[in-house]
Amino acid sequence: MKFKKTLFAGIAAIVGASTLLGSNIASAQKDWPTKPIALVVPFAAGGPTDTIARLIAVPMGQALGQTVVVENTAGAGGTIASTKVARAAPDGYTIYIHHMGMATAQALYDKLPYDPMNSFEYIGQVADVPMVLLGKKDLPANNFKELEAYIKANGSKVTMANAGPGAVSQLCGLLFQSRMGVRLTNIPYKGTGPALTDLLGGQVDLLCDQTTQTIPYIKDGRVKAFGTTTMKRLPAIPNVPTLNEQGLKGFEVKVWHGVYAPKGTPQPILDKINAALKKALSSPDVVKRLQDANIDIAPMAKVSAKGLKDHLESEINVWGPVIRKANIPD
Ligand code: MLT
C-alpha cells in the first residue's frame, strides 16, 4: 500500500514536472526571440556569402524584433561552420547561411562530420548568384583566347585563388582547369573576400568569383573578366562573353544559397525565421542591391523548407557525378 502511494506520488510529480517543462518550452518558443540571433557565415567577412548575410540580417532582425548578428566561421571551404551549426543548440539562436557548398562538400571530402540531408532544419532558399572568371589587371592576357595561350605557355606558374575545398570558387576553378586540361597553382583563402583583395593587389593571377561584389571592379578595369559561368551574358556586364560561347560548352555554375538551423529547432521558431527571411527578401533595399549584382532572388515558393531541401537533394545528385568525373582532388 505504502509502495503504491509512493509510486502514485512519484508519477504525479513526474507528470507535473513534465507539464511544467512542456509549458516552459511552449512559452520559450512563443516568446522567442528574447536575445540576439547568430547568423553563421562559413567564409571570411567581405566576401559574397558574408555580403548577402549582412544584407538580409538587418531586415530579418527588424522583422523578428532582435538583432541578427553575423558570425564568420571561416575555413575548410565552409565545412567548419557546417559542423559547428550541426552541433549547435537547436534553440533558434543559431541560424546559418550557406551556398551550394552544402551540396558539393560530400563529393569533395572523404568523410564529413555532418550529413547535409539530415543534420539541419531547412528554412528556405535565398538567391542564385552567377560567377565570373577574373584575372589581375596586369595579366598579359586581355581576352579568353589570350588567356588560353598564356596558361599553355606558363602552366603551373599561373596562380589561381579559391576559398578551399567545398567553396564554389574552388569548384569553378578546378572545373575550368579540368576543361582546359591544365593544373595551375591553386591558393586557398578563407573566403573570396580576401582572395579578391589579393587579386586586386596583383598577388594572385586568377579567381573565379561570384558577381556579388565584383561588378564594379570589372566595370572600372581593376580586374579583367574572361568569361561568365552563365549560359547567357549578364545584363550588368554585357561585354563579358560567357565561357560557354568561348568554347567551354555547357560551363555553367550558378551559386544558390540557403538558410538553415540546427536539427531539432522547434517548428514555431522555424516558421518565424522563415517569415522574417521572406520579408527580408522582399525589402526594396535588398532587392535593388541584389539586382544590381545580377543576383536572382529565389521565388517565394522556394523560400521554404521543402524548396530548400528538395533543391539540396537534387544538387547533391547533380554535382557528385560532375566532381567525380572532373577528378577534382581534396
Ligand atoms: C565567400 O563568401 O567567400 C565565397 O562564397 C567562398 C566561395 O565559395 O568561393
Side-chain angles (χ1 to χ4, degrees):
M1 202 58 158
K2 195 163 176 230
F3 168 73
K4 259 193 182 167
K5 256 193 190 162
T6 318
L7 183 66
F8 284 138
I11 291 171
I14 291 168
V15 171
S18 64
T19 310
L20 194 64
L21 187 69
S23 76
N24 281 349
I25 291 172
S27 100
Q29 291 173 15
K30 196 165 138 283
D31 295 344
W32 180 93
T34 56
K35 60 179 185 180
I37 299 149
L39 174 58
V40 177
V41 169
F43 297 103
T49 318
D50 178 73
T51 301
I52 293 181
R54 286 175 200 276
L55 210 56
I56 61 170
V58 177
M60 279 184 80
Q62 283 159 355
L64 293 167
Q66 279 289 343
T67 316
V68 174
V69 185
V70 170
E71 211 178 274
N72 299 87
T73 303
T79 54
I80 292 177
S82 299
T83 306
K84 171 175 148 170
V85 173
R87 292 175 181 164
D91 56 8
Y93 292 103
T94 302
I95 56 175
Y96 186 36
I97 181 165
H98 195 4
H99 59 39
M100 59 191 268
M102 192 64 123
T104 58
Q106 251 181 341
L108 291 164
Y109 286 83
D110 284 344
K111 216 171 175 299
L112 287 174
Y114 60 90
D115 173 356
M117 289 306 295
N118 281 302
S119 303
F120 303 94
E121 300 294 345
Y122 305 85
I123 291 165
Q125 284 190 52
V126 177
D128 292 349
V129 189
M131 300 189 86
V132 193
L133 176 63
L134 302 171
K136 67 178 181 187
K137 194 173 86 198
D138 298 335
L139 206 69
N142 286 312
N143 54 47
F144 188 74
K145 273 234 138 358
E146 290 178 15
L147 178 67
E148 251 182 313
Y150 181 76
I151 285 176
K152 286 222 163 91
N154 291 281
S156 62
K157 282 195 210 130
V158 180
T159 54
M160 186 159 202
N162 67 52
V168 285
S169 45
Q170 193 232 23
L171 177 71
C172 177
L174 292 182
L175 284 176
F176 168 70
Q177 291 168 54
S178 157
R179 293 289 299 268
M180 300 284 284
V182 290
R183 184 80 179 150
L184 309 177
T185 297
N186 293 290
I187 304 178
Y189 289 76
K190 292 208 159 172
T192 55
L196 182 62
T197 303
D198 271 13
L199 189 79
L200 289 163
Q203 284 93 3
V204 66
D205 296 325
L206 297 171
L207 167 67
C208 191
D209 201 4
Q210 295 161 68
T211 54
T212 318
Q213 54 258 96
T214 49
I215 286 178
Y217 298 119
I218 296 169
K219 279 186 168 163
D220 70 13
R222 276 187 282 169
V223 293
K224 288 178 174 171
F226 293 107
T228 66
T229 66
T230 46
M231 289 300 107
K232 283 194 186 148
R233 292 190 184 200
L234 299 174
I237 40 171
N239 296 333
V240 179
T242 66
L243 291 172
N244 176 63
E245 76 187 78
Q246 298 181 98
L248 298 187
K249 285 275 162 271
F251 197 108
E252 187 175 24
V253 186
K254 251 201 164 187
V255 188
W256 56 272
H257 297 69
V259 172
Y260 304 80
K263 181 96 181 169
T265 304
Q267 193 58 48
I269 293 178
L270 295 173
D271 292 344
K272 288 186 193 173
I273 302 169
N274 175 270
L277 177 61
K278 283 192 172 124
K279 220 164 182 186
L281 293 175
S282 318
S283 123
D285 286 354
V286 173
V287 172
K288 163 105 182 57
R289 171 67 179 82
L290 295 181
Q291 271 172 356
D292 287 350
N294 279 173
I295 295 173
D296 296 329
I297 293 176
M300 282 302 141
K302 294 197 168 186
V303 189
S304 63
K306 182 167 165 40
L308 177 56
K309 199 169 181 188
D310 285 354
H311 192 60
L312 174 64
E313 186 168 25
S314 82
E315 285 282 288
I316 289 174
N317 294 331
V318 167
W319 285 105
V322 174
I323 290 166
R324 282 187 282 277
K325 192 165 162 224
N327 200 17
I328 288 177
D330 296 0

